[in-house]
Amino acid sequence: MSSENEQIAQMTEKINRLRQERQAIILVHNYQIPEVQDIADFLGDSLELSRMAAETDAEVIVFCGVHFMAETAKLLSPDKTVLLPDPTAGCPMADMIDAEKLRRFKAEHPGVPVVAYVNTTAETKAESDICCTSANAVEVVASLKAEQILFVPDCHLASWVQERTDTEVIAWQGYCPTHQRISPDAVRKAQQQYPDAATIVHPEAPKEIRDMADEVLSTGGMVRFSNQSQADEIIVGTEYGMAYRLQKENPDKTFLTIPAAVCPNMKKTTLPKVAQALEKMEPQIQIPADIADRARNAVERMLEVR
Ligand code: 13P
Ligand code: SF4
């Protein structure tokens, strides 16, 4: 065994012992580094992970993802300890709006309901009517039966929803820097090189990229698509780390990634940080009660939409 693999094996053993002692569950997002994906009790997209956080009996949730995801878990399981192994793992898109900016946006459009992408802080969620993820955004907007909605913060997800609804979507102009880096040239090159490949793209990608895709899917949708597809080659238009799980579950297929599409924050969680979080029971997610109560409403309302 190489020394790197030996270190991974030792760390994994330590984490396994600690997770039992602490009665912890380890929730992992699909973009995490391979060795972190491999220790997951549950691996998934934002919606699947929120549902898991709401349903688990475990005392402790270790969230291997970014801050807004751990915060959502804490909203749904307020009495549990939620650990985020690297507290600096944020989401730049979530930080493109805050409560004050949203209050001003609402004042410009009085009475219009607010749909907040789950990629927002708890403070922003507290100012919103309902949350959505990339997996249920269209259904959430439809559930409101509104003539207009305000959608924050992702303008690309908003434009994708707009293409699928008669509701007027008034979008905040935020975006994901990682998906913004997927260039039409890179996708075109891959498609020219593999003309029979299927192309799947995340709805956070700009319209120009989405229009080049066969399917626009959440990361959980990408897993299901890849497991069922007849295509031997699949071009994956989302964060680079996604391909690890797809390849592991489909060893006979070839997955082609866009190397520029890396989310540095998703790469911050490492096995030593997970072990340390379980050992010290920190860093813990805390949300002030007045914000948590209002933010929880928006998330719970989302989970009621099927
Ligand atoms: P999913 O909910 O599709 O996993 O997406 C989360 C995310 O942050 C994408 O950038
Ligand atoms: Fe945020 Fe984009 Fe990273 Fe997802 S990939 S966590 S949206 S910066």
Side-chain angles (χ1 to χ4, degrees):
M1 214 192 282
S2 72
S3 73
E4 196 191 339
N5 285 348
E6 220 167 281
Q7 272 176 5
I8 290 175
Q10 276 172 10
M11 266 300 148
T12 302
E13 212 178 286
K14 184 171 176 181
I15 289 166
N16 287 342
R17 178 174 50 78
L18 286 164
R19 100 168 91 196
Q20 257 192 338
E21 274 172 31
R22 300 293 194 198
Q23 298 190 24
I25 185 172
I26 302 180
L27 301 184
V28 180
H29 186 263
N30 289 320
Y31 293 161
Q32 292 285 292
I33 61 174
E35 59 267 34
V36 171
Q37 293 199 24
D38 288 344
I39 57 157
D41 289 302
F42 185 80
L43 178 62
D45 69 13
S46 306
L47 183 61
E48 294 162 344
L49 292 168
S50 319
R51 291 201 193 281
M52 198 44 82
E55 286 163 16
T56 181
D57 292 331
E59 302 282 313
V60 176
I61 297 172
V62 183
F63 210 109
C64 302
V66 291
H67 193 270
F68 76 81
M69 296 180 175
E71 227 178 28
T72 305
K74 181 69 180 175
L75 289 173
L76 292 168
S77 286
D79 300 329
K80 297 189 195 301
T81 301
V82 178
L83 302 168
L84 180 65
D86 187 325
T88 71
C91 168
M93 174 162 65
D95 295 332
M96 289 180 188
I97 191 157
D98 58 25
E100 183 50 38
K101 287 176 184 160
L102 179 50
R103 279 194 289 268
R104 269 185 266 141
F105 194 34
K106 290 199 295 188
E108 287 165 20
H109 304 277
V112 180
V114 178
V115 179
Y117 192 21
V118 75
N119 299 37
T120 42
T121 62
E123 283 191 23
T124 301
K125 289 182 176 74
E127 290 292 332
S128 306
D129 293 283
I130 189 165
C131 288
C132 74
T133 76
S134 61
N136 63 10
V138 175
E139 291 79 2
V140 164
V141 170
S143 76
L144 294 175
K145 299 184 173 53
E147 274 179 30
Q148 294 181 311
I149 57 141
L150 302 183
F151 192 98
V152 299
D154 186 6
C155 68
H156 298 308
L157 180 59
S159 81
W160 184 69
V161 171
Q162 184 64 88
E163 289 163 15
R164 282 159 184 77
T165 177
D166 292 332
T167 301
E168 184 191 351
V169 180
I170 305 170
W172 189 258
Q173 292 303 305
Y175 60 90
C176 163
T178 299
H179 287 84
Q180 198 80 21
R181 279 197 293 273
I182 301 176
S183 72
D185 261 6
V187 177
R188 205 172 300 118
K189 238 190 221 160
Q191 288 177 333
Q192 280 164 358
Q193 212 174 342
Y194 297 91
D196 296 329
T199 301
I200 55 177
V201 161
H202 197 274
E204 284 176 19
K207 176 172 170 55
E208 201 181 357
I209 304 297
R210 295 197 312 265
D211 285 349
M212 300 173 84
D214 297 298
E215 297 283 345
V216 177
L217 299 162
S218 73
T219 64
M222 289 182 176
V223 172
R224 287 184 289 280
F225 175 91
S226 301
N227 293 352
Q228 290 160 11
S229 170
Q230 299 298 314
D232 292 329
E233 291 127 6
I234 300 178
I235 299 165
V236 184
T238 193
E239 208 276 338
Y240 182 84
M242 184 73 224
Y244 174 71
R245 176 174 179 185
L246 300 180
Q247 192 68 73
K248 192 171 164 183
E249 294 186 13
N250 298 279
D252 297 335
K253 293 179 183 156
T254 303
F255 293 92
L256 303 138
T257 53
I258 310 293
V262 176
C263 175
N265 285 285
M266 282 285 184
K267 308 303 168 201
K268 286 184 176 174
T269 307
T270 58
L271 293 184
K273 288 182 197 172
V274 173
Q276 188 168 326
L278 277 165
E279 215 158 34
K280 299 199 165 155
M281 292 295 273
E282 60 183 38
Q284 291 190 21
I285 298 287
Q286 307 285 5
I287 309 169
D290 55 326
I291 291 172
D293 290 343
R294 288 181 296 136
R296 184 176 305 113
N297 277 341
V299 180
E300 285 182 344
R301 211 175 149 194
M302 165 185 87
L303 293 181
E304 282 161 19
V305 176
R306 283 284 159 181

